Amino acid sequence: MKQTGQALAIGALILFFFSDGLRADAPNVTAVLTSSEAAVGQMVELQIKVSGTRSATPPQEINVDGLEIHSTGETRSFEMHNFDVRSSVIFNYTILPMRAGRFKIPPQVVQVDGKSVRTPELALNVSGSGNAGSNSPRSNRANPNVDPKQFGFVEMILPKTSAYVGEMIPVEIRVGFNVRVRVESLNAGVNITGQGFTTQKMPDPGGARTETINGNTYQVLTFKTAIAAARAGKIDIGPAEITPIVRISQAGARNPRMPRDLFDMNDAFDNFFNDPMFAPSIRKEITLRSEPATLDVKPLPPNAPPNFSGAVGTFTMKADAKPKTAAVGDPMTVTAEISGRGSFDRVNAPSIEDERGWHKYPPSAKFKQDDDVGISGTKTFETVLTPNEQKSNVPRLAFSYFDPLKENYVTLRSDPIPVKVEGGASTAPAIASAPSATAAPSTAKAVTSKPADILYQLTERPAHSQTFAPLFARPVLWLPQIVPLLALVGFVVWKIRATRFDNSAAQRRAAMQAEMTALQRKLRQGRGTPDQYFAEASRAVQLKAALAKNINPSAVNAETAATVFNVDQTARERLRQLFERSDELRYSGNQNGNETVARETQREIVDLIESLHA
């Protein structure tokens, strides 16, 4: 009975401490101050935390009279409850009190998954002088020195030690925590240190699994990503690091909530409550690191195909065109799908081998990934072509890449796509020239003499026969009218084609205007990875210049845009940096650890684009 009572007590205590962790957390928004007390001029931090979602838009400005509040960016953290990992986003703000008093920070509206959610109201007491108390969790970091290896481990696994420049290499990072360790937060997750390579965005690790290693039991999380070398030579990869926040028990201390002798338990059961899982503890941020790795990177061979854009991997291509029947001047959409495994951020639209007789517009692209890190999937390009003459097929499409398995360049070519393009300039029928009048006989009848009497005048016929037909029925009237009639028909045909062309041009201009408006709205929202953000920003500049001067947007570069908008030297340099940064990210991919562009940089880019006026 005594052992049964002890077991029941243990079960009740476990439920007491972990009941909060058994409830599933729904997406929510909270706001906290690092301290509710401050002095004039003493900085306080405001944090708005959004958990359970990846799509959230925070308030851009918070205005409270007497307080200066500024956004300092955002951080992503991972929290582990009962070894179930959840991600959250924390939006950080600094508060600088300008005068003493009691201030209320009103509820702030946060857009979460398209819905408006309000934070709770916060209060801040500001004194005129003296030291205000601090509730910052960072104050708990001054803890006794501990060996991080006692808490867990980090292991980085690369499937190969040599690769080519731009080749995507999957990386698996295993993070294990001793089951006796209480993990409060994974902070910003795993980061791979080093230079000379890029990393793909790292998704959430999902659930943990239990493993026994060297007699110790761990809860192991698996993070997946992919790296690509940006230069040749030997490159150091890692170490991979993570800085979780754990609870460290206070040596020799006893949890005051625990009874001294519950149900007359023996000393062995009393020692159970001195376990670090239940003893009083303090928060501490520790750092776990893996062993680094070295990657031998080989350069790509010379003599790359002209349309090679830097894609490395193994790919296939298929193409189609719609509609299959059109008139000259009508748009046709050519769809190309590139599927396979490799560096899809360097996969550009296939080139058209023979563009004669076609007008090509910039392609659009979308990517559907088949794995967790985006190194396998299908990238679809849609290119609008307008035929300028009659055509029977869409020319071949060509896409080149480097195959690291074959160690050479490969060019994929599609078959010509049969289409029927009708219309075009009509050829006026040839008008046969009227036959020349039959020459009169060269020998004229000799008349020696003409009688002078009236009989001669009545019997001699004239040289040409006469007719009494009305004038409108005579060919001599209508034959000269054929030329102006044909000219009128040609003018009508030209006018119809010109109207159709103007309508197509107006539609293209409206499409460019709509695309530019959507891009500017997206840039102001500040979403997307750095390569997406800079590509969309440079595309917005191209569209704005094309609309201002009626030119092809794909032909606009930094110098062209600076000339179109007649900007000063400072703006010209900023345009040049914008286009160079876009090109660099398109080739090199995302930078290590970067998820979004800094808000200050976003504001500078948006201000630059909005200041461009022809």
Side-chain angles (χ1 to χ4, degrees), residues 41 76 90 101 104 144 232 268 283 312 341 359 413 416 453-454:
R76 185 171 298 277
I90 299 176
K104 289 186 177 181
R283 301 173 74 237
V312 179
R341 180 181 178 89
H359 184 74
R413 289 182 172 86
D453 55 15
I454 191 171

Side-chain angles (χ1 to χ4, degrees), residues 43-47 67-72 92-96:
M43 196 79 71
V44 178
E45 292 183 10
L46 166 64
Q47 295 181 338
L67 301 178
E68 285 191 2
I69 305 178
H70 300 284
S71 172
T72 58
N92 302 296
Y93 300 84
T94 58
I95 302 177
L96 181 64

Side-chain angles (χ1 to χ4, degrees), residues 262-277:
L262 184 62
F263 301 118
D264 192 25
M265 297 178 183
N266 55 25
D267 291 340
F269 187 57
D270 182 62
N271 291 334
F272 171 81
F273 293 106
N274 287 326
D275 190 281
M277 290 288 289

